[in-house]
Amino acid sequence: SRIFASRSRGAPQTVAALCRRAKRLADVGEMAQFRDVVQQACSRAMQPTEISQVCSVLARHQKESELLEELVQKAVSMWDQLPLQSVALIANSLSRSRVFNVQFYCRLLEDFA
């Protein structure tokens, strides 16, 4: 739909912009487009805050366990760079989605128990 078209065609969108767009799409029930946009955000998310932001969108709007698992694995691989806020947001996202990632929770227990 035109409402969700990018302002400048061809310009790469940030992960934050993709997440906002995905939220709007989910709110109006455009789930096929939502999945496409979330997939783009997932593939572009490289920083800890971006990863946790996409996890949050997935947990709130769709229980996409494969994408969520992929993002959590990416987060675990950069565990030492994750700020506490990102760890908390990812843990909350996993809880909402009822996804259990052993590696994430083991690292969490090692560092915070």
Side-chain angles (χ1 to χ4, degrees), residues 44-106:
R44 291 183 186 174
M46 297 297 163
Q47 299 300 317
T49 54
E50 294 172 334
I51 292 168
S52 60
Q53 188 174 23
V54 180
C55 285
S56 180
V57 170
L58 278 170
R60 280 196 177 107
H61 298 288
Q62 185 171 0
K63 308 307 182 217
E64 280 282 341
S65 60
E66 281 183 34
L67 285 178
L68 189 56
E69 283 286 343
E70 181 182 321
L71 287 167
V72 173
Q73 284 306 118
K74 199 183 284 190
V76 169
S77 72
M78 61 173 66
W79 187 263
D80 294 333
Q81 300 170 23
L82 287 177
L84 182 57
Q85 182 178 5
S86 291
V87 171
L89 191 55
I90 292 168
N92 186 41
S93 298
L94 288 171
S95 175
R96 280 183 180 199
S97 299
R98 295 188 174 106
V99 172
F100 188 80
N101 184 288
V102 174
Q103 292 171 325
F104 178 84
Y105 287 114
C106 285

Side-chain angles (χ1 to χ4, degrees), residues 6-49:
S6 174
R7 286 193 180 112
S8 56
R9 299 186 191 271
Q13 293 184 323
T14 65
V15 171
L18 288 169
C19 286
R20 285 190 301 273
R21 184 172 176 214
K23 287 177 190 176
R24 288 192 307 264
L25 288 166
D27 288 344
V28 296
E30 297 283 345
M31 298 315 286
Q33 288 181 326
F34 168 84
R35 281 188 287 282
D36 291 342
V37 172
V38 167
Q39 181 65 51
Q40 289 176 34
C42 183
S43 65
R44 291 183 186 174
M46 297 297 163
Q47 299 300 317
T49 54

